[in-house]
Amino acid sequence: MIVVHHLNNSRSQRVLWLLEELGLDYEIVRYQRDPKTMLAPPELRAIHPLGKSPVISDGDVVVAESGAIIEYLVETYGHGRLVPPAGTEERRRWTYFLHYAEGSAMAPLLMKLIFDRVENSPAPFFVKPIARGIARKVKAGYIEPQIAAHLDYLEAELNKCPWFAGAEFSAADIQMSFPLEAAAARAGLDARRPNLMAFLKRIHSRPAFQRALERGGPYELLK
């Protein structure tokens, strides 16, 4: 039995969605973030030394990292589903976006989250103006232009085809969902980029996506 070690409001929601798309049986072990730090609880270190989510266990096999989990599940249980044929342009795009999602797209989004917290967190009165000034300068000079560049790039990619690997929905779209959900929630993705907003609308309407939300629980990125 596949076990998903599921941290609330995290990348592990994508794993639940993939399992639902593949129609696989699985169990969920739930973990809650610390409400103050938003960090994962130390219990996750018993599953993987870094104590982060997502992590799955499948018998004696333990797999961490979203992309690695997606590849493992598709290769082991997909039987050709949700992945284009090897040697095709669609497969090249599939592999690219599977890695791009975390390797490139998430970096400026994570930086924005951190610097937003620096800007808005409590601090001594004589430190706060300095911290806010630094945070705003970094965001305006680097982070926000980087996010805009990535969103413009992805908007153009979805002008070529409806899904990230091509004409058909695939696991690459599941992987790409998290950075786009994050961008829509807190980084300015809106109706000015209609292809990306249409992508989010399409994935939200998928029955497997909705079943994964029901099983995974509230998902703050969607609010």
Side-chain angles (χ1 to χ4, degrees):
M1 174 68 72
I2 298 167
V3 178
V4 181
H5 300 275
H6 177 54
L7 181 65
N8 66 303
N9 197 30
S10 77
R11 291 161 169 83
S12 59
Q13 187 66 39
R14 286 184 295 197
V15 177
L16 302 183
W17 178 19
L18 175 60
L19 289 164
E20 291 290 343
E21 292 281 359
L22 293 174
L24 299 176
D25 293 330
Y26 62 96
E27 296 178 357
I28 300 175
V29 177
R30 300 179 186 275
Y31 303 83
Q32 293 294 316
R33 294 180 182 275
D34 184 289
K36 292 183 178 179
T37 67
M38 295 305 292
L39 296 176
E43 290 83 0
L44 265 172
R45 293 195 186 96
I47 309 303
H48 189 276
L50 292 179
K52 296 184 181 295
S53 179
V55 180
I56 67 166
S57 52
D58 185 15
D60 294 331
V61 176
V62 176
V63 186
E65 294 292 340
S66 302
I69 292 170
I70 287 175
E71 287 193 276
Y72 172 80
L73 291 174
V74 169
E75 290 174 359
T76 307
Y77 298 106
H79 306 295
R81 292 174 292 170
L82 301 181
V83 57
T88 62
E89 172 63 12
E90 290 78 7
R91 181 61 167 266
R92 184 194 65 77
R93 290 177 61 88
W94 186 89
T95 302
Y96 170 75
F97 282 110
L98 198 68
H99 294 280
Y100 165 89
E102 294 293 332
S104 294
M106 278 306 300
L109 291 167
L110 180 58
M111 290 181 67
K112 185 178 188 305
L113 177 63
I114 293 170
F115 278 89
D116 280 348
R117 289 182 179 176
V118 170
E119 184 177 354
N120 298 313
S121 62
F125 74 94
F126 55 87
V127 174
K128 184 175 289 188
I130 299 173
R132 284 183 173 176
I134 293 172
R136 288 171 181 168
K137 187 172 183 179
V138 173
K139 285 163 58 180
Y142 177 75
I143 297 172
E144 290 168 357
Q146 281 290 303
I147 291 173
H150 280 283
L151 293 178
D152 287 344
Y153 164 66
L154 295 172
E155 177 74 10
E157 287 298 300
L158 288 186
N159 204 41
K160 300 174 183 177
C161 47
W163 301 105
F164 281 104
E168 302 295 330
F169 173 81
S170 74
D173 300 297
I174 294 175
Q175 179 75 333
M176 283 297 300
S177 66
F178 190 86
L180 293 179
E181 298 281 17
R186 57 178 68 100
L189 174 56
D190 57 24
R192 291 172 293 178
R193 296 183 175 90
N195 292 330
L196 294 178
M197 296 304 292
F199 170 85
L200 290 176
K201 185 176 181 179
R202 288 197 302 276
I203 66 173
H204 294 166
S205 69
R206 294 184 70 84
F209 182 94
Q210 296 169 11
R211 291 195 301 271
L213 281 181
E214 291 174 2
R215 291 203 61 179
Y219 191 41
E220 294 297 325
L221 288 182
L222 298 182
K223 296 182 178 179

